[in-house]
Amino acid sequence: MVISKIDKMHSLSKNQQIIFDLIDKSPEPLKAYTILFNVQKKGIKAPPQVYRALDKLVEMGKIHKIESRNAFIACHNSSCQVAKATAFSICEICEKVTEISSAGLSKYLANFKDKDGMKYSKYNLEFFGLCKKCR
Amino acid sequence: MVISKIDKMHSLSKNQQIIFDLIDKSPEPLKAYTILFNVQKKGIKAPPQVYRALDKLVEMGKIHKIESRNAFIACHNSSCQVAKATAFSICEICEKVTEISSAGLSKYLANFKDKDGMKYSKYNLEFFGLCKKCR
DNA sequence: CTTATAAATGTTATATTATTACATAGTGTT
DNA sequence: AACACTATGTAATAATATAACATTTATAAG
């Protein structure tokens, strides 16, 4: 076995790489059909090709879905180990989205227990407000 | 002026009332087209009628949208004053959704500051895991 | 009461987001 | 080579949401 499992886990297929590169270069979250439009010249012609790649990239933690916007952003936490515990701030005017990486916040949420004492290792938090520029 | 502003703020129009009643009675979050199907006998025939009522109800804090599920649930915080600061737990197996009302959590999030010192009064948090029954 | 304004409704059409289903091709392992 | 697994290609369609415009109803001021 030349390629270790670890290496394998970090390797992207052709379509995954194309779509990840596009999202990673983008200064703003991209919607699925915006992505589709932008990769048609690279041979990705149909929605399922885009959605499949997006699904895998989300699973891997390489990108995150901004649920309130139906859009995708590259993970900016160095490790990409936080695929399942995400937090973002969203400007309601310019729609700028920033991934929040706060040890305090993630610790608080990872340890949060509901009324029944249940803990949840997976969560998605979206803060809304006005960014510096828009205030 | 017989009806005070306070009363007015809590009164729902005909379509809003029909749709709120349906959601409020439901044990699970309802999707827009499920709602549409269920209120057609009451004369609400087209998507815009449903979406308009949903928008208003969300604004008023009478219902909340579960963003990761595109579904709507009635507010279960007695006051309905927390329209803009919501938290839910979602079971990944049975899809049961519960609104979390934790003074500690809401206080923590309302006071959370990002790297730039920004505060956000509005947020939506969705926890994922397995409910008691599904474990 | 009536008139101006805003809020809500009704309706058709269409835009946007996402999935199903099935056929084909590549990759890694034995 | 044979197998299992993952990824890809393609067409059709399902599910979610909004635009645009006409009409009606509710509210509050004069």
Side-chain angles (χ1 to χ4, degrees), chain B residues 103-134:
Chain B
L105 178 63
S106 44
K107 194 175 171 188
Y108 184 89
L109 293 177
N111 289 322
F112 175 78
K113 292 178 190 168
D114 69 15
K115 282 176 175 164
D116 297 333
M118 274 276 297
K119 273 192 179 186
Y120 301 89
S121 56
K122 190 172 164 185
Y123 60 78
N124 180 56
L125 170 58
E126 296 178 9
F127 281 108
F128 304 94
L130 303 184
C131 72
K132 276 187 170 176
K133 282 187 186 172
C134 291

Side-chain angles (χ1 to χ4, degrees), chain A residues 8 23 29 39 54 82 87 90 92 94 99 101 104 107-108 111 118 124:
Chain A
K8 177 64 193 135
I23 296 172
V39 296
L54 290 173
V82 283
I90 303 172
E92 290 183 297
C94 73
E99 185 167 2
S101 44
K107 194 174 170 190
Y108 183 89
N111 289 321
M118 273 278 297
N124 180 57

